[in-house]
């Protein structure tokens, strides 16, 4: 098709207006953030120089200025935090105490529903299984792999093999694994797992239909993706262990086993905690894998998936919000632990 | 620290960003109506005149090829009246529509396939009731059965648009002829035929209910058809409005009756495996074995005609066609299960009302039907404009004044049940769970 400029004139004109408006607004903002603070900084510097030159003490006014200056930088962040995080969080909490249409207050009824409805209890249990297994197995796998390939030949190749799945999105990975678990009643199997079973003389199975096996099979997908992350972080930590410590231990004649438990593990403890915390939060929030692979059917649903279903598909705003609040509450202790840890490290 | 050392650099970066962003932005051209607006072809559109250059946005779940046909169907309307229709189709329609409406970003018009959702928006005061012109036209053109489903608390909010007939069993006329099988006209004949086919070594039925995040819906259609066949239409209405509980023995009877076919290992699941393979077989694939001799029958709506592989002749003497899903007791009449979408408006600007009126008119339904692959309950539809044999059959069934028509029950129920626990419950049921606990679970999820 020919592109006729004359025909598209109104659109091109619109495009030009848009461009000009964008340059003015964004350019203006950048200018403001660039020039204004710089100007303030120069002026303050001049004042400080003048103040110290004249020998006068630095006044309170000047210090107040500093506060204003900080506020100028903090304001956008605080504003965005309020709009994007604080207000929605408060709103979600209040919605969770209301009915389906968010018209009437119902107290804790939605929370009561959450713990009394069998299918939702099942969802909570599933989430618990996820948050226990994923960090544990992925981290363990990461540590073992990192130790084994450390300073080995082809270390880079071996590490990239494990790290590659990280580059695949959760949805993509789930689709790949859905094929691995695929089942054909007649003819050739197209699923890797069933083909292995058939080759070994077994009957093909519909893997994703059998609870609780299916939840474990979905967890495998998450571990497959995340083990690489654990391995990379932990491998870096292992490499950062000071050489003289390792050497001293060797001179003392430790066995590899003792080396692992008494030198390596304590040395990489901070990195281990970071990995476990990140994976815990990640597996509490897991949504894409379950939605893509089974859509929460066959008893595989998790909190985030159920929250989406309740709030957006079933129009149960109260119940969806209650699940969201519960998820939020579950994440809080993990975050607090992480913050305390960071603080201790800084002090230590 | 200054981020950019020189303002000039900041401008340069802003400029580049601007280019990148604006490349993805859309222009808002104000196309006016074309020159032939006064011509004879446009005479039919005179009553919608006076809104030249206005825009109306439409949001629906119809996408891809179907959406192209939709846009072509109102091209002349746009051409003649100058009302520009901005159509958007989404696969996440049901989930996104409430988000858009509650977020103050409602489309002017939406095609909603669930009366339950229409009711929810009407109750929340988000919908505009139909304008006088639209209402008059709708009452004139539409069967009362259908108008009922667009009515909430006595006010008409939705005009039925497209429709489909669900009480169909797909089969291969060629295979039936070769093997000397007769198209059954009663339930007993249907079961006798199934047994005969099963004895011949072929699986008589195939089914599949996998449909992404809507997995389970084809099974609910089975149950609805069974409710209409084992019970009276009145009981069906009680069921969909929760006047009787979901785990009522009458519902259990219907579900068990569906189970005599769906959960029968001897009948299921041609080309895919055992009964359990129903839940993992996609509904698009499920009926295809009818054409390759792996199964004999597949219960699915009229729109399944589009799912057959290219080159399949869908006709009474072709590779695939459908017969009416027989009634258990033909003396009680021919119940028909169907569905369709309703045109509802979130704005009452004159041009929006004009579009809504137009969509209810005979001119529109015929212009859409001529493009093919479409059926409506609108009685202004001239059957001569319907090309495909299955669509013709559907129109005959829809326009049959003696038939008892009922709308898809799960679409009438609250979304938490109709698009939630009912779907999930059916998946569990097909996966081996017994009828009673499944129905009990659905009942306990019905919003109080």
């Amino acid at each position: 098709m020919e592109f006729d400029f004359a025909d598209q004139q109104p659109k091109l004109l619109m495009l030009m207006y848009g461009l000009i408006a964008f340059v003015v607004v964004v350019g203006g903002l950048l200018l403001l953030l660039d020039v204004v603070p710089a100007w303030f900084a120069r002026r303050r510097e001049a004042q400080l120089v003048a103040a110290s030159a004249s020998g006068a003490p630095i006044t309170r006014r000047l210090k107040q200025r500093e506060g204003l200056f900080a506020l100028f930088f903090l304001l956008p962040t605080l504003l965005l935090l309020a709009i994007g995080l604080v207000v929605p969080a408060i709103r979600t909490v209040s919605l969770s105490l209301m009915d389906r249409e968010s018209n009437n207050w119902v107290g804790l009824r939605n929370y009561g529903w959450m713990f009394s409805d069998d299918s939702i209890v099942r969802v909570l249990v599933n989430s618990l299984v996820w948050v226990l297994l994923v960090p544990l197995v992925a981290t363990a796998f990461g540590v073992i792999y990192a130790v084994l390939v450390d300073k080995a030949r082809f270390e880079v190749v071996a590490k990239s093999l494990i790290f590659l799945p990280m580059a695949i999105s959760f949805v993509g990975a789930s689709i790949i694994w859905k094929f691995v678990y695929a089942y054909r009643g007649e003819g050739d199997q197209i699923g890797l797992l069933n083909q292995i079973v058939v080759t070994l003389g077994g009957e093909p199975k519909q893997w994703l239909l059998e609870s609780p096996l299916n939840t474990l099979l979905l967890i495998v997908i998450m571990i497959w993706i995340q083990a690489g992350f654990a391995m990379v972080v932990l491998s870096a930590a292992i490499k950062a262990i000071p050489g003289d410590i390792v050497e001293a231990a060797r001179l003392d004649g430790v066995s590899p086993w003792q080396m692992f438990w008494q030198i390596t593990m304590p040395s990489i403890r901070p990195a281990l905690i970071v990995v476990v915390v990140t994976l815990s939060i990640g597996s509490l929030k897991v949504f894409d894998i379950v939605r893509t692979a089974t859509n929460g059917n066959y008893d595989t649903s998790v909190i985030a998936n159920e929250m989406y279903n309740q709030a957006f598909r079933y129009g149960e705003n109260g119940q969806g919000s209650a699940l969201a609040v519960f998820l939020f509450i579950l994440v809080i202790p993990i975050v607090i632990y992480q913050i305390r840890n960071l603080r201790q490290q800084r002090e230590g | 620290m200054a981020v950019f050392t020189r303002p000039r650099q900041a401008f340069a970066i802003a400029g580049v960003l601007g280019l990148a962003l604006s490349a993805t932005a859309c222009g808002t051209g104000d196309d006016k109506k074309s020159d032939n607006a006064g011509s004879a072809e446009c005479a039919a559109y005179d009553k919608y005149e006076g809104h030249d250059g206005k825009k109306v946005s439409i949001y629906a779940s119809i996408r891809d090829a179907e959406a192209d046909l939709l846009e072509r169907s109102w091209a002349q309307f746009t051409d003649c009246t100058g009302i520009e229709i901005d159509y958007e189709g989404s696969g996440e329609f049901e989930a996104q529509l409430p988000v858009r409406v509650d977020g103050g970003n409602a489309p002017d018009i939406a095609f909603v396939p669930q009366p339950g959702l229409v009711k929810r928006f009407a109750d929340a005061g988000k919908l505009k009731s139909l304008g006088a012109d639209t209402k008059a036209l709708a009452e004139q053109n539409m069967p009362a059965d259908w108008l009922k489903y667009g009515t909430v608390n006595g006010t008409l909010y939705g005009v039925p648009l497209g429709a489909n007939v669900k009480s169909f069993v797909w089969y291969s006329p060629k295979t039936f002829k070769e093997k000397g099988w007769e198209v059954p006209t009663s339930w007993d004949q249907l079961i006798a035929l199934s047994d005969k086919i099963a004895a011949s070594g072929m699986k008589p039925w195939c089914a599949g209910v996998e449909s992404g995040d809507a997995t389970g819906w084809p099974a609910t259609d089975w149950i609805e058809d069974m409710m209409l066949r084992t019970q009276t239409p009145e009981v069906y209405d009680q069921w969909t409005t929760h006047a009787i509980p979901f785990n009522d023995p009458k519902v259990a009877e219907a579900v068990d009756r569906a189970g005599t076919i769906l959960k029968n290992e001897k009948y299921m699941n041609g080309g895919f495996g055992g009964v359990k393979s129903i839940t993992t077989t996609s509904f698009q694939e499920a009926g295809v074995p009818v054409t390759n001799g792996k199964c004999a029958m597949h219960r699915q709506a009229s729109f399944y005609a589009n799912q057959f592989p290219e080159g399949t002749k869908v006709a009474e003497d072709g590779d695939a066609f459908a017969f009416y899903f027989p009634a258990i007791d033909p003396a009680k009449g021919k119940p028909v299960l169907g569905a369709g979408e309703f045109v509802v408006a979130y704005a009452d600007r004159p041009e929006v009302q004009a579009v809504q009126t137009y969509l209810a008119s005979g001119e529109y339904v015929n212009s859409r039907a001529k493009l093919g692959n479409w059926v409506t309950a609108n009685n202004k539809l001239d059957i001569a404009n319907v090309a495909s044999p299955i669509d013709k059959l559907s129109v005959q069934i829809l326009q049959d004044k003696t038939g008892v028509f009922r709308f898809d029950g799960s679409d009438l129920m609250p979304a938490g049940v109709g698009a939630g626990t009912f779907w999930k419950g059916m998946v569990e049921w097909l996966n081996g769970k017994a009828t009673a606990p499944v129905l009990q679970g659905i009942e306990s999820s019905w919003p109080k």
Side-chain angles (χ1 to χ4, degrees), chain A residues 22 34 206 291 295 308 313, chain B residues 4 14 18 21 92 213 280 447:
Chain A
F22 184 84
D34 186 57
Q206 293 195 271
R291 199 169 139 80
N295 193 34
Y308 174 84
R313 296 198 29 221
Chain B
F4 298 107
L21 277 185
E92 292 274 286
D213 61 356
T280 50

Side-chain angles (χ1 to χ4, degrees), chain A residues 1 14 16 36-38 62 106 119 183 185 218 239 243 246-247 249 263-264 304 307 309 311 316:
Chain A
M1 210 162 72
M14 256 343 254
M16 204 181 74
V36 175
L62 266 174
V106 296
S119 64
Y183 162 87
L218 296 188
K239 296 214 182 295
V246 180
E247 211 166 311
I263 307 293
T264 311
M307 172 183 99
N309 278 347
E316 298 280 357

Side-chain angles (χ1 to χ4, degrees), chain B residues 104-120:
Chain B
N105 186 27
D108 294 331
I109 289 176
F111 299 164
V112 182
Q114 298 90 358
L117 201 54
V118 173
K119 182 175 179 337
R120 189 166 128 204

Side-chain angles (χ1 to χ4, degrees), chain A residues 187-314:
Chain A
D188 292 332
Q189 294 299 321
I190 62 164
L192 177 70
L193 197 56
N194 271 325
Q195 186 55 50
I196 292 173
V197 169
V198 170
T199 314
L200 295 176
E203 279 285 303
K205 271 173 105 172
Q206 293 195 271
W207 300 102
L208 291 178
L209 296 191
E210 281 165 53
S211 180
L213 176 71
N214 47 14
T215 293
L216 298 180
L217 292 175
L218 296 188
I219 288 174
V220 167
I221 304 177
M222 179 88 155
I223 291 170
W224 182 71
I225 301 172
Q226 298 291 19
F229 162 75
M231 184 269 299
V232 166
V233 174
L234 297 175
S235 173
I238 289 171
K239 296 214 182 295
I241 300 173
D244 40 0
I245 296 181
V246 180
E247 211 166 311
R250 285 237 172 83
L251 286 177
D252 286 344
V254 294
S255 69
W257 191 247
Q258 282 172 316
M259 176 77 110
F260 179 73
W261 284 112
Q262 278 160 25
I263 307 293
T264 311
M265 284 303 265
S267 310
I268 62 169
R269 195 173 158 265
L272 267 178
I273 290 168
V274 169
V275 169
V276 170
V277 166
T278 313
L279 292 182
S280 306
I281 295 178
S283 45
L284 267 178
K285 296 192 302 186
V286 68
F287 167 75
D288 334 37
I289 294 178
V290 172
R291 199 169 139 80
T292 312
T294 63
N295 193 34
N297 278 317
Y298 328 114
D299 289 337
T300 55
S301 197
V302 288
I303 296 178
N305 188 52
E306 201 54 36
M307 172 183 99
Y308 174 84
N309 278 347
Q310 293 289 342
F312 296 113
R313 296 198 29 221
Y314 308 162

Side-chain angles (χ1 to χ4, degrees), chain B residues 20-297:
Chain B
L21 277 185
S22 55
T24 56
C26 299
T28 48
D30 32 350
D31 293 328
K32 297 281 161 156
K33 60 182 166 184
S34 67
D35 301 332
N36 66 352
S39 71
E41 290 154 35
C42 285
Y45 300 98
D46 279 350
K47 46 181 173 281
Y48 311 112
E49 282 293 341
H51 314 292
D52 192 8
K54 295 281 171 51
K55 282 186 106 165
V56 175
S57 62
I58 297 184
Y59 189 52
S61 55
I62 301 159
R63 288 179 299 161
D64 305 329
E66 300 266 314
D68 291 342
L69 294 178
L70 210 54
E71 295 199 67
R72 272 169 57 199
S73 71
W74 55 59
Q76 200 182 16
F77 174 79
T78 299
D79 215 25
C80 292
T81 61
I83 300 176
E84 201 183 322
I85 296 177
D86 188 6
Y87 179 78
E88 188 190 342
S90 165
E92 292 274 286
F93 174 78
E94 283 84 359
Q96 286 305 310
L97 185 63
V99 174
R100 283 183 62 167
V101 173
D102 295 341
N105 186 27
D108 294 331
I109 289 176
F111 299 164
V112 182
Q114 298 90 358
L117 201 54
V118 173
K119 182 175 179 337
R120 189 166 128 204
F121 286 125
D123 285 341
K126 306 277 187 190
L127 290 182
K128 305 285 183 212
S129 60
L130 296 185
D133 292 347
T134 319
K135 191 164 180 254
L137 201 59
E139 281 169 355
Q140 194 187 326
N141 291 354
M142 294 292 172
D145 270 347
W146 279 82
L147 288 178
K148 196 176 75 193
Y149 298 117
T151 305
V152 181
N153 301 328
T155 311
L156 186 57
Y157 288 99
V159 187
L161 189 69
N164 58 68
V165 176
K166 299 209 169 198
S167 301
F168 273 139
V169 176
W170 288 89
Y171 72 111
S172 167
K174 265 189 187 158
T175 314
F176 267 51
K177 205 174 166 194
E178 275 168 31
K179 312 252 178 184
W181 297 330
E182 291 275 321
V183 167
T185 52
S186 74
W187 179 264
D188 292 336
Q189 285 178 15
L190 184 73
I191 295 300
L193 176 66
S194 302
D195 286 333
K196 193 168 147 191
I197 296 172
S200 81
M202 190 200 273
K203 288 279 174 77
W205 290 90
C206 46
V209 302
E210 197 276 332
S211 178
D213 61 356
T215 295
W217 72 258
T220 67
D221 286 2
W222 264 93
I223 306 302
E224 288 149 14
D225 250 339
M226 286 305 148
M227 278 300 286
L228 282 175
R229 276 158 185 72
T230 56
Q231 312 296 330
T232 61
E234 289 69 41
V235 173
Y236 183 87
D237 294 338
Q238 290 168 358
W239 176 56
T240 58
T241 54
H242 208 222
I244 56 169
F246 210 107
N247 53 348
D248 191 273
K250 292 171 183 161
V251 184
E253 187 194 331
V255 173
D256 286 335
R257 179 75 75 140
T260 59
I261 292 180
L262 285 173
K263 290 178 101 169
N264 188 336
E265 288 288 353
K266 272 190 295 186
Y267 287 0
M268 286 291 168
N269 182 9
F272 300 106
V275 167
K276 279 192 174 184
S277 68
I278 295 174
T279 59
T280 50
T281 302
S282 81
F283 99 91
Q284 289 98 331
E285 285 176 37
V288 175
V290 163
T291 58
N292 61 23
K294 296 235 164 152
C295 83
M297 292 178 282

Side-chain angles (χ1 to χ4, degrees), chain B residues 366-382:
Chain B
N366 283 301
S367 94
R368 174 64 189 86
K370 274 180 205 163
L371 297 171
N373 206 359
W374 192 75
V375 167
T376 179
N378 191 315
N379 57 33
K380 283 278 156 40
L381 177 68
D382 183 356

